[in-house]
Amino acid sequence: MQTGHRTPLSVVEDFGTLEGLHPGRIDLGLGRSGGSRLPSREPDGRGDRLVDGVLIPAPVSLAGIASSPRFRAQAAALRQPGAQVPPYEEFLDAVDGLLTGTWTPGGVEVRAVPGEGAALQTWVLGSSGGESAVLAGRRGLPFAANYHVSPATVLDAVAAYRHAFRPSERLDRPHVMVSADVVVGPDDAHAARIAAGFGPWVHSIRTGAGAIPYPRPEDAGALPADPALVTDRVATRFVGGPATVADGLERLRAVTGADELLLTTITHRHADRIASQELLADEWARRG
């Protein structure tokens, strides 16, 4: 959940409803972006590097998105005119207070129904070593680092979180989840074919034009995919047969020290997504 265009009360009520419908299956992830502000991932002079076999690419400038008409339209659609996004730590305080029934802004008791008392585990989502990572550490919350969208800064994010970590009632040590894009096929060649289309899809988002329908593999080659905009995402996607992808994820887990991996799979055909997840699950189980 992106906090930039929501109130703490609406977040807790929505996730309280979901937890009521699907008990024990819902976590509450809170990300700091989502308003009219674009997360900064400007080039910092660092080039691509390999860290124990894991690619940490150079940051990519996304400044062009902020000037696009679509970005401005989204900001207008998602935020009330003149609305001010509260400081992120205040937002976390309010969410925590609403879940526990202890939030009293201005001395007035405010209750979230549904939501209060919900068995929701709160996670902080972050893409850099900035405020989100530091606050997650200071508050002793689990932290989800974003390799699949911002691979250039994942190590900075994890390091900042661990450095800031203080034990809490929820955690006695840091707990990190790292996200990754994966596409698994019966073999490397098949996986590469069904993974085609990712570059043009990322290109459509990062130009500010808006996400196109995910292309069919046979159409992908004719669509634009500017390397300057998409290479960091394409090159850090784990694509291949089960053993190839599992080996890559093992390296990512080792380099980041991740306690958990959060995997996304994007392909044109839904059946390919299901098969990808089943193949990887079987390989992971085989490895014990």
Side-chain angles (χ1 to χ4, degrees):
M1 172 68 65
Q2 305 289 16
T3 62
H5 49 78
R6 299 294 299 271
T7 66
L9 181 62
S10 70
V11 169
V12 172
E13 288 184 338
D14 284 355
F15 276 78
T17 300
L18 291 172
E19 199 277 333
L21 293 170
H22 307 285
R25 298 185 60 189
I26 305 297
D27 290 334
L28 174 53
L30 295 173
R32 190 163 57 93
S33 62
S36 60
R37 178 182 56 81
L38 190 69
S40 176
R41 288 196 289 276
E42 294 301 308
D44 57 8
R46 292 184 294 184
D48 294 349
R49 11 176 215 142
L50 273 179
V51 180
D52 293 338
V54 173
L55 176 62
I56 305 298
V60 173
S61 173
L62 302 181
I65 298 180
S67 62
S68 73
R70 176 173 291 275
F71 182 80
R72 292 194 295 270
Q74 286 175 335
L78 291 171
R79 295 187 63 186
Q80 293 286 350
Q84 297 294 314
V85 178
Y88 188 49
E89 188 161 22
E90 289 183 15
F91 198 102
L92 293 177
D93 285 338
V95 167
D96 188 59
L98 287 164
L99 288 171
T100 58
T102 58
W103 194 46
T104 55
V108 178
E109 187 178 78
V110 177
R111 315 301 287 266
V113 181
E116 185 177 318
L120 293 167
Q121 185 181 52
T122 301
W123 288 72
V124 172
L125 316 179
S127 297
S128 72
E131 182 181 8
S132 298
V134 172
L135 283 177
R138 287 179 181 169
R139 298 172 77 97
L141 293 173
F143 179 64
N146 188 344
Y147 183 70
H148 83 287
V149 171
S150 184
T153 52
V154 65
L155 295 184
D156 299 334
V158 170
Y161 166 68
R162 289 203 172 97
H163 179 74
F165 184 83
R166 302 292 181 270
S168 68
E169 292 181 359
R170 306 181 199 192
L171 291 176
D172 59 4
R173 64 178 184 84
H175 190 93
V176 173
M177 177 188 292
V178 174
S179 64
D181 274 322
V182 305
V183 176
V184 185
D187 53 52
D188 290 358
H190 181 90
R193 184 180 67 79
I194 63 174
F198 188 66
W201 182 75
V202 172
H203 175 95
S204 68
I205 297 169
R206 286 186 165 181
T207 57
I212 60 174
Y214 199 87
R216 299 183 305 167
E218 56 268 32
D219 297 334
L223 297 172
D226 181 359
L229 288 178
V230 309
T231 296
D232 67 317
R233 294 284 308 276
V234 173
T236 55
R237 202 182 191 200
F238 296 89
V239 177
T244 298
V245 172
D247 287 346
L249 292 174
E250 291 279 19
R251 290 191 292 270
L252 178 66
R253 184 169 65 172
V255 166
T256 59
D259 300 282
E260 302 182 45
L261 295 175
L262 174 65
L263 307 180
T264 63
T265 299
I266 309 174
T267 57
H268 177 73
R269 296 176 64 246
H270 182 62
D272 290 329
R273 294 195 289 275
I274 294 175
S276 174
Q277 293 163 10
E278 290 175 341
L279 287 165
L280 184 57
D282 290 344
E283 175 66 18
W284 212 260
R286 186 187 65 78
R287 297 181 180 212

